[in-house]
Amino acid sequence: MSRVAARLCQERAAADGLGSNRNAIKYLKQDYEALKQQCLQAGTLFKDEEFPACPSTLGYRDLGPYSFKTQGIVWKRPTELCANPQFIVGGATRTDVCQGELGDCWLLAAIASLTLNPDILYRVVPKAQSFQRDYAGIFHFQFWQYGEWVDVVVDDRLPTRNGKLLFVHSEEGNEFWSALLEKAYAKLNSSYEALIGGSTIEGFEDFTGGISESYELRRAPSNLYQIIQKALRAGSLLGCSIDITSASEIEAITSLKLVKGHAYSVTGAEEVYYRGRLEKLVRLRNPWGEVEWTGAWSDNAPEWNYIDPKQKQALDKQVDDGEFWMAFSDFQRQFTRLEICNLTPDTLTSNEVNRWDLTLFNGQWRRGSTAGGCQNYQATYWTNPQFKIRLEEPDDDHEGSLNEPCCTILVGLMQKYRRRQKKMGEALLSIGYSLYELENHTDIHMNRAFFARNQPVARSDPYINLREVSSRMKLPRGEYLIVPSTFEPYKNGEFCLRVFSEKKAKTQIIGDVVSAKPYEPHVDNKDTDDEFKALFQKLSGEDCEVTAIELKTILNQVLAKRKDIKSDGFNINTCREMISLLDTNGTGTLGLVEFKTLWMKIQKYLEIYKRVDSDYSGTIDSHEMRNALREAGFMLNDQMQHSIVIRYACSKLSIDFDGFVACMIRLETLFKVFHLLDKKKSGVIQLSLAEWLCCTLV
């Protein structure tokens, strides 16, 4: 219950602007300014107890406390490493990012690309940080995390060996912004070791909040060079890599001095006149700062002698150590993959750039309620979270006929917190999504029959265990249903789904409507036959009132005779809640009419239960519960569905009859209490603490 309350508080805070870049969430509730002032007033240097200078901060396995790789490591502040430490020397540049002993070249390639755009860089690396003015051993950085910006505080104790930084460092021996940025990102992901291995896309997105695309260079579109040029002009971040076929190839160097399984930044794209024809060139950077391409157009290659000297000089000026030019045709042959991070509207600072429209949804896959798996699992696929998008305005340069103009969208599905969970043995889930065309306007969660009748009109690439899968697609105007899922059902996970569209799109969560129209039998003395009255008098005794204990005995005697449904029997608390729902005069017992009403409700619930029990097992599966709730008149969102599974399903995710009735009665009670208190019918009630406690204790 506390988890649900915390989530509601988080959603309300986000609605008030918390989590924007201007009002970032304080990670682990650490306030940079307050902590800094405390240290300055006390005359001490900050020591971060949330990410201490100890072995657990380094890692858990390869960099764990007993690993030979962590022997001889000493944590030192920059003031202990050199006489005149600086945060940034002469502006942040790509040469400030040199790889150390940590296998996080994917991250360093992203940091190097970040330095190409100062506006973006200084969102991540706040200015006015120094080792001279108001130095207190504390620094902070901001990262985008699944729709929110978070401000991460670190102290400046860094891992060293033999007096040198162990991990990322600058060519300038006294510059430390990149090392401290790496430490803050390690803290965000629980340890340095958690940063080993990854895709440059991940770093791009966490530095910008952008959404990425990936191209296999051997199957790239014919206009890829134009896409690269346009992306660079728009301030997008680009990275590339060469795939490996075995673990032995990691960081293997080819005969032309390219590194396999290693992340490079794409930093430029220029065309030159070479022997009477245009030659397309691309500029790449190796974050190692060394080991450069030795093929055509490399440093001092003969091709440079055949272009205009002024152009050669201009291009030479743009190249730092670790950077090199190569022909675009060689780039496509030598490299495997190109990744482009498109920036969000709030990241872009230029008014000249065409801005995407962005919608973000947060959701969860939960075992037994919303983790339905892919289309191979027809019985559960329909229970996955569902989102709707309406495309009304076509692109300015749309493709397609005049009768059916197209709209461009970019859909990204990102799973949350998996890197942070690596130390617990949790790997990335295989994820994907499909889009279905909707012919009728609806806010109702689509059922199994809908997916049996309809095939996807678009989908992500085959399910894959990446943090994010994304694809660009052109669709005719209309309404579409987006269904994100894991490959296998019953896999727990959290995700965010982002939809970028060239023009404004209308979006909403499907099945987010909450309402109730439960079965309400109309009963009075006239409707009750003599046989039922006689039975009631026999069961209730002389006072003609049924207590909770008597009700428990009656219902369990009836259940014991049923062989077609499974039940452990009604407990006393459920019986008390039944009485509370129908007890109109506050006696804590049921009279004849009230008992008859309850009896008819239970009969109705029995009909629904048996109808939903598709395999005649005597119980219903937790996924079938969604259908049962709908037949009983309840429209609930995914979060409520999951709460019901936690409370009423067993470890095998089945719900027996007494649990089903208990759930129905509980829901009826909650809705009834709310509607009684909502006198203005506004859908919102305000309660004092005492009133809230009375309601929850009903």
Side-chain angles (χ1 to χ4, degrees):
M1 188 170 179
S2 58
R3 179 183 173 86
V4 174
R7 182 176 292 278
L8 289 172
C9 290
Q10 187 177 3
E11 289 172 359
R12 290 178 180 179
D16 292 334
L18 184 65
S20 65
N21 186 253
R22 294 179 183 84
N23 188 19
I25 294 169
K26 293 173 177 58
Y27 187 62
L28 301 179
K29 299 182 180 179
Q30 289 179 297
D31 187 314
Y32 168 73
E33 292 294 344
L35 291 170
K36 182 178 178 179
Q37 288 305 313
Q38 288 174 15
C39 292
L40 290 172
Q41 290 171 8
T44 59
L45 294 179
F46 178 61
K47 290 184 177 181
D48 187 3
E49 299 302 328
E50 298 290 351
F51 201 57
C54 69
S56 63
T57 292
L58 293 171
Y60 45 89
R61 190 175 55 242
D62 292 346
L63 293 178
Y66 304 107
S67 169
F68 73 94
K69 293 183 179 180
T70 59
Q71 302 305 306
I73 290 178
V74 179
W75 295 81
K76 290 189 175 184
R77 298 185 189 269
T79 50
E80 300 172 276
L81 292 171
C82 62
N84 183 31
Q86 300 290 320
F87 187 61
I88 295 178
V89 176
T93 64
R94 301 184 293 283
T95 57
D96 297 349
V97 189
C98 300
Q99 189 168 3
E101 295 184 25
L102 191 64
D104 62 347
C105 60
W106 61 274
L107 176 64
L108 308 194
I111 297 173
S113 294
L114 192 65
T115 63
L116 300 175
N117 190 321
D119 289 328
I120 299 175
L121 171 71
Y122 291 116
R123 291 168 65 120
V124 178
V125 185
K127 293 182 178 180
Q129 301 193 81
S130 168
F131 286 96
Q132 286 74 40
R133 185 177 179 182
D134 291 337
Y135 170 66
I138 183 170
F139 295 85
H140 70 131
F141 302 85
Q142 294 196 356
F143 305 102
W144 181 90
Q145 289 285 281
Y146 318 113
E148 299 173 329
W149 285 88
V150 294
D151 190 88
V152 181
V153 167
V154 289
D155 64 32
D156 62 349
R157 294 177 293 177
L158 296 167
T160 69
R161 184 182 282 128
N162 300 323
K164 294 184 178 180
L165 290 178
L166 190 66
F167 302 137
V168 72
H169 54 279
S170 171
E171 281 189 350
E172 298 280 348
N174 65 334
E175 184 176 40
F176 292 94
W177 74 268
S178 57
L180 292 167
L181 172 61
E182 182 188 47
K183 181 176 183 179
Y185 197 68
K187 178 178 178 177
L188 188 65
N189 288 283
S190 79
S191 69
Y192 278 96
E193 185 172 355
L195 304 185
I196 295 175
S199 164
T200 306
I201 279 180
E202 189 173 340
F204 283 169
E205 293 182 332
D206 287 351
F207 295 151
T208 67
I211 190 168
S212 297
E213 299 174 81
S214 181
Y215 293 95
E216 286 189 34
L217 292 173
R218 287 167 182 78
R219 295 192 298 155
S222 58
N223 64 336
L224 181 64
Y225 193 73
Q226 287 71 35
I227 290 174
I228 291 172
Q229 287 183 313
K230 186 177 180 181
L232 287 167
R233 284 196 300 269
S236 300
L237 305 180
L238 294 85
C240 61
S241 59
I242 303 170
D243 282 357
I244 58 172
T245 55
S246 66
S248 62
E249 286 191 310
I250 293 177
E251 297 190 346
I253 300 174
T254 70
S255 59
L256 294 171
K257 301 297 184 183
L258 294 176
V259 186
K260 293 185 175 182
H262 186 65
Y264 287 77
S265 307
V266 180
T267 61
E270 300 284 350
E271 292 181 275
V272 298
Y273 273 102
Y274 172 68
R275 290 184 167 177
R277 61 179 174 82
L278 273 177
E279 179 80 48
K280 295 181 174 69
L281 303 180
V282 291
R283 186 177 68 217
L284 277 67
R285 183 175 190 277
N286 181 349
W288 284 353
E290 53 190 27
V291 186
E292 293 186 13
W293 162 252
T294 57
W297 299 99
S298 60
D299 294 358
N300 303 315
E303 288 81 7
W304 292 107
N305 298 324
Y306 297 93
I307 70 167
D308 183 287
K310 290 182 179 178
Q311 194 169 26
K312 176 187 177 183
Q313 185 181 13
L315 296 181
D316 274 346
K317 284 182 178 178
Q318 298 174 31
V319 177
D320 294 312
D321 189 32
E323 272 189 314
F324 55 86
W325 291 98
M326 66 190 304
F328 180 62
S329 55
D330 283 334
F331 171 70
Q332 286 190 284
R333 279 193 294 269
Q334 298 290 336
F335 283 84
T336 313
R337 194 174 309 281
L338 171 71
E339 296 163 336
I340 301 175
C341 181
N342 301 282
L343 303 183
T344 61
D346 85 303
T347 304
L348 294 166
T349 55
S350 171
N351 292 324
E352 298 174 3
V353 177
N354 290 329
R355 298 172 183 237
W356 294 90
D357 183 67
L358 169 63
T359 302
L360 183 144
F361 301 106
N362 285 297
Q364 297 177 308
W365 295 296
R366 285 289 175 252
R367 181 176 177 269
S369 58
T370 57
C374 70
Q375 294 96 319
N376 297 349
Y377 303 91
Q378 295 179 9
T380 55
Y381 176 69
W382 67 278
T383 64
N384 281 301
Q386 299 176 8
F387 307 90
K388 185 172 74 173
I389 179 170
R390 184 188 301 172
L391 304 174
E392 296 178 334
E393 193 176 351
D395 305 341
D396 292 331
D397 57 346
H398 69 80
E399 297 176 7
S401 68
L402 293 174
N403 296 328
E404 195 177 38
C406 289
C407 310
T408 297
I409 62 170
L410 184 57
V411 181
L413 172 64
M414 180 184 292
Q415 49 188 317
K416 296 183 177 182
Y417 312 123
R418 304 306 290 194
R419 186 176 290 280
R420 198 180 296 172
Q421 295 165 355
K422 283 171 71 173
K423 64 182 179 183
M424 280 90 80
E426 294 287 342
L428 287 166
L429 300 169
S430 289
I431 59 172
Y433 57 82
S434 294
L435 278 77
Y436 300 82
E437 191 168 10
L438 289 172
E439 295 180 357
N440 301 313
H441 299 307
T442 181
D443 299 333
I444 299 173
H445 193 98
M446 293 291 100
N447 58 20
R448 181 175 177 178
F450 172 85
F451 296 102
R453 294 191 309 266
N454 294 274
Q455 291 298 311
V457 296
R459 59 175 49 157
S460 57
D461 287 333
Y463 284 76
I464 189 168
N465 57 337
L466 292 175
R467 185 175 81 152
E468 183 177 52
V469 295
S470 64
S471 56
R472 180 189 294 253
M473 54 195 73
K474 290 183 179 290
L475 298 170
R477 289 179 295 182
E479 281 194 336
Y480 298 90
L481 185 74
I482 307 177
V483 182
S485 72
T486 57
F487 180 74
E488 294 179 319
Y490 307 109
K491 297 290 185 181
N492 288 327
E494 295 185 55
F495 66 86
C496 68
L497 179 73
R498 294 185 291 168
V499 180
F500 279 49
S501 53
E502 286 201 5
K503 295 297 181 71
K504 185 75 174 176
K506 296 180 179 178
T507 53
Q508 73 176 81
I509 301 172
I510 287 286
D512 205 34
V513 176
V514 178
S515 64
K517 288 185 179 178
Y519 171 61
E520 292 292 354
H522 298 286
V523 181
D524 57 31
N525 275 310
K526 297 176 184 177
D527 297 326
T528 309
D529 56 49
D530 292 339
E531 185 178 351
F532 191 89
K533 287 180 180 178
L535 176 63
F536 176 75
Q537 288 175 347
K538 180 181 177 182
L539 295 171
S540 60
E542 294 182 2
D543 60 356
C544 288
E545 294 283 332
V546 172
T547 65
I549 294 174
E550 290 170 334
L551 180 60
K552 178 174 179 285
T553 302
I554 295 165
L555 294 178
N556 288 338
Q557 284 177 351
V558 173
L559 277 182
K561 297 175 183 178
R562 302 289 303 228
K563 304 301 180 186
D564 54 343
I565 55 174
K566 293 181 180 178
S567 172
D568 295 329
F570 289 99
N571 62 45
I572 191 66
N573 288 331
T574 301
C575 293
R576 285 172 179 153
E577 195 152 343
M578 291 179 186
I579 290 175
S580 177
L581 174 66
L582 297 166
D583 177 21
T584 55
N585 53 14
T587 61
T589 58
L590 296 181
L592 173 62
V593 172
E594 295 164 335
F595 182 77
K596 179 65 181 289
T597 303
L598 174 62
W599 188 258
M600 293 178 70
K601 279 182 176 289
I602 292 174
Q603 290 290 103
K604 181 68 173 180
Y605 290 141
L606 179 60
E607 290 174 23
I608 294 170
Y609 189 82
K610 287 179 63 63
R611 192 159 54 245
V612 172
D613 179 16
S614 55
D615 59 357
Y616 307 105
S617 63
T619 64
I620 62 173
D621 180 86
S622 61
H623 285 281
E624 295 172 324
M625 187 67 169
R626 192 185 289 264
N627 278 335
L629 287 162
R630 187 177 296 181
E631 287 204 32
F634 296 103
M635 298 291 291
L636 306 178
N637 62 23
D638 287 345
Q639 195 170 324
M640 294 178 195
Q641 300 279 355
H642 179 56
S643 296
I644 285 171
V645 171
I646 290 175
R647 182 160 184 167
Y648 296 103
C650 69
S651 59
K652 295 180 180 178
L653 298 178
S654 61
I655 300 171
D656 57 18
F657 182 64
D658 57 283
F660 175 69
V661 173
C663 177
M664 297 299 107
I665 296 297
R666 181 67 173 160
L667 285 171
E668 283 199 46
T669 302
L670 291 171
F671 275 99
K672 182 179 179 181
V673 169
F674 185 91
H675 290 312
L676 285 171
L677 294 169
D678 184 16
K679 300 186 184 302
K680 296 181 180 178
K681 307 303 177 189
S682 63
V684 178
I685 59 175
Q686 195 168 8
L687 300 176
S688 67
L689 176 60
E691 289 169 332
W692 160 252
L693 292 172
C694 284
C695 290
T696 55
L697 288 171
V698 167

